[in-house]
């Protein structure tokens, strides 16, 4: 049975008997599988970021009639000179999703951004020199001097309204560029971290006495980490945006458990292959016995299990049929001789 990407994804989550097939896949198929799973993680992360961060902010902006109206109607008079902001009076807004505070008399750092009172909210803090933006993917800092180039003259509230489209383009460009870089790096991380699992797999291989080559362990790990990685992305833990989440202890533990169970299954499967082969070989069946080598025996029986509705013969039945075939063959040869 030649499984497609969707079948492999489904079986990798729960059917450890299929892992003996995964380690035989071509490298091109393993790469396509890993790329597809990584793309799924990216999509889950984007949906999470949109509903967790961008959607509440967009709803707030739309409810106020756009950024221009917010600046004109809600924000006090301000000036920016040489990257330093002066605000006539502090501006503050908060609801269940958003915390916005503009105060040129305060000094913002990451401790301020991570204060318990703003925990779980999308936070925008602006002091005299910096803009801090925090959402579920971490904290970003932007310097006013990098955004507003006023070339030695005062930059006022009215000037700010005029360049709102440029600022929006800068923010969206920054976000899109960062996302593209994150996606590319996430692909390298997805396959790169699997090298660590090869080391873990080598230890598990010694424990389970399942002899696997490094390449086979790599392939096995690529499939074994599917469930924990996708599950982590669902719960908002994804290295697509936050590379610190690449080293996630629960993901490593669950992947190691998957590898352990899969290797035990492979070991049992190979032991059974070896036992049947030795039985057939000791029966002196010649070419008939050779046809039932461990690999041929395994693939023949497994294909019947997965592709046919016919009842699968037991090893004892196969053994009996081989004996009967040998007796018939001997009888025919005797008749010819006589």
């Amino acid at each position: 049975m030649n499984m497609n990407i969707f079948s492999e994804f489904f079986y990798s989550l729960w059917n450890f008997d299929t892992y003996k097939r995964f380690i035989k896949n071509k490298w091109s198929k393993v790469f396509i599988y890993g790329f597809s799973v990584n793309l799924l993680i990216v999509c889950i992360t984007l949906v999470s970021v949109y509903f967790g961060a961008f959607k509440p902010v967009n709803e707030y902006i739309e409810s106020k009639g756009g950024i221009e109206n917010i600046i004109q109607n809600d924000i006090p008079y301000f000036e920016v000179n040489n990257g330093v902001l002066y605000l006539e009076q502090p501006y503050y807004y908060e609801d269940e999703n958003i915390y916005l505070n503009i105060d040129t008399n305060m000094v913002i750092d990451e401790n301020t951004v991570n204060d318990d009172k703003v925990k779980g909210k999308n936070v925008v803090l602006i002091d005299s020199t910096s803009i801090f933006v925090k959402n579920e993917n971490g904290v970003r800092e932007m310097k006013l001097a990098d955004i507003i180039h006023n070339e030695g003259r005062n930059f006022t509230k009215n000037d700010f309204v005029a360049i709102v489209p440029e600022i929006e383009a800068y923010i969206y460009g920054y976000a899109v560029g960062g996302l593209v870089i994150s996606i590319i790096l996430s692909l390298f991380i997805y396959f790169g971290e699997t090298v660590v699992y090869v080391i873990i797999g080598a230890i598990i291989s010694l424990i389970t006495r399942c002899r696997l080559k490094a390449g086979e362990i790599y392939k096995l790990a690529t499939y074994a980490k599917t469930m924990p990685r996708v599950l982590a992305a669902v719960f908002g833990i994804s290295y697509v945006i936050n590379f610190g989440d690449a080293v996630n202890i629960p993901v490593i533990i669950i992947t190691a458990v998957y590898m352990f169970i899969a290797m035990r299954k492979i070991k049992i499967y190979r032991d059974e292959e070896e036992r049947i082969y030795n039985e057939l070989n000791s029966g002196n069946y010649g070419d008939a016995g050779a046809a039932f080598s461990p690999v041929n025996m395994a693939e023949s029986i497994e294909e019947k299990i997965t592709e046919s509705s016919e009842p699968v013969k037991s090893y004892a039945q196969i053994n009996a049929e081989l004996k009967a075939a040998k007796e018939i063959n001997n009888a025919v040869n005797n008749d010819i001789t006589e």
Side-chain angles (χ1 to χ4, degrees):
M1 180 178 66
N2 186 20
M3 291 187 287
N4 58 35
I5 296 295
F6 299 102
S7 298
E8 289 186 335
F9 178 84
F10 176 70
Y11 285 119
S12 70
L13 302 179
W14 63 275
N15 192 340
F16 295 98
D17 288 323
T18 57
Y19 276 76
K20 60 181 176 288
R21 282 185 169 275
F22 295 157
I23 63 176
K24 297 178 183 177
N25 282 345
K26 295 180 179 179
W27 284 106
S28 58
K29 189 172 185 180
V30 175
F31 174 81
I32 293 173
Y33 178 85
F35 179 84
S36 301
V37 172
N38 189 70
L39 185 61
L40 175 62
I41 293 173
V42 170
C43 292
I44 293 172
T45 302
L46 291 181
V47 170
S48 175
V49 169
Y50 173 74
F51 284 101
F54 288 105
K55 187 179 180 184
V57 174
N58 286 337
E59 288 177 347
Y60 166 72
I61 293 174
E62 290 175 2
S63 69
K64 293 289 187 175
I67 295 178
E68 292 90 343
N69 283 337
I70 294 175
I71 297 171
Q72 290 283 25
N73 301 326
D74 296 342
I75 297 180
Y77 177 81
F78 66 85
E79 294 180 359
V80 178
N81 189 10
N82 293 324
V84 179
L85 171 66
Y86 162 76
L87 189 66
E88 194 171 49
Q89 61 186 34
Y91 175 79
Y92 171 83
Y93 174 85
E94 182 177 11
D95 61 22
E96 60 182 6
N97 295 313
I98 299 170
Y99 181 89
L100 170 63
N101 192 1
I102 307 174
D103 188 348
T104 55
N105 295 318
M106 68 176 177
V107 178
I108 303 172
D109 56 24
E110 290 203 14
N111 291 328
T112 310
V113 179
N114 293 316
D115 193 281
D116 288 339
K117 68 180 180 181
V118 297
K119 190 173 183 180
K121 295 185 178 182
N122 298 291
V123 180
V124 178
L125 298 178
I126 303 176
D127 62 14
S128 60
T129 59
S130 304
I131 301 175
F132 285 82
V133 179
K134 176 192 174 186
N135 53 40
E136 59 186 15
N137 297 303
V139 179
R140 298 288 184 272
E141 178 185 4
M142 294 176 285
K143 293 294 184 181
L144 288 170
D146 295 332
I147 301 174
I148 301 174
H149 304 283
N150 55 330
E151 299 177 352
R153 65 181 179 84
N154 286 350
F155 184 88
T156 67
K157 177 177 176 177
N158 293 332
D159 295 325
F160 188 72
V161 172
I163 67 164
V164 163
E166 295 180 24
I167 294 176
E168 289 179 331
Y170 176 88
I171 293 173
Y172 285 120
Y174 178 85
V176 171
L179 181 61
V180 170
I181 294 173
S182 295
I183 292 173
I184 295 173
L185 289 179
S186 72
L187 189 61
F188 284 98
I189 290 175
Y190 187 87
F191 287 105
E193 70 171 356
T194 311
V195 176
V196 177
Y197 290 120
V198 172
I199 299 173
I200 297 174
I203 298 172
I204 297 174
S205 179
L206 294 174
I207 296 173
T208 59
R209 298 181 181 178
C210 178
R211 297 185 300 273
L212 292 178
K213 298 176 182 177
E216 292 175 323
I217 297 175
Y218 188 96
K219 293 176 182 178
L220 185 144
T222 300
Y223 290 89
K225 69 179 182 178
T226 300
M227 192 278 287
R229 268 299 170 203
V230 172
L231 196 62
V234 169
F235 285 97
I237 304 171
S238 175
Y239 52 71
V240 174
I241 301 295
N242 187 357
F243 297 120
D245 291 332
V247 181
N248 186 274
I249 301 302
V251 170
I252 294 174
I253 292 174
I254 296 173
T255 301
V257 170
Y258 263 63
M259 294 176 69
F260 178 81
I261 298 173
M263 285 190 190
R264 286 194 63 184
K265 289 283 187 179
I266 293 172
K267 179 67 166 59
I268 293 171
Y269 183 77
R270 288 182 173 180
D271 286 348
E272 186 67 6
E273 288 179 355
E274 188 68 24
R275 184 185 69 79
I276 298 303
Y277 176 73
N278 290 335
E279 284 186 8
L280 295 174
N281 193 44
S282 63
N284 193 25
Y285 298 134
D287 293 338
F292 286 85
S293 66
V295 173
N296 292 337
M297 173 75 77
E299 292 183 351
S300 175
I301 292 176
E302 188 173 351
E303 284 173 2
K304 288 183 179 180
I305 292 174
T306 55
E307 295 181 348
S308 175
S309 59
E310 298 179 3
V312 180
K313 297 177 182 178
S314 66
Y315 293 123
Q317 289 175 310
I318 295 173
N319 200 1
E321 289 182 5
L322 283 171
K323 289 182 179 179
K326 181 180 178 183
E327 290 174 358
I328 293 172
N329 186 58
N330 289 339
V332 171
N333 290 334
N334 290 336
D335 290 340
I336 293 174
T337 302
E338 292 177 358

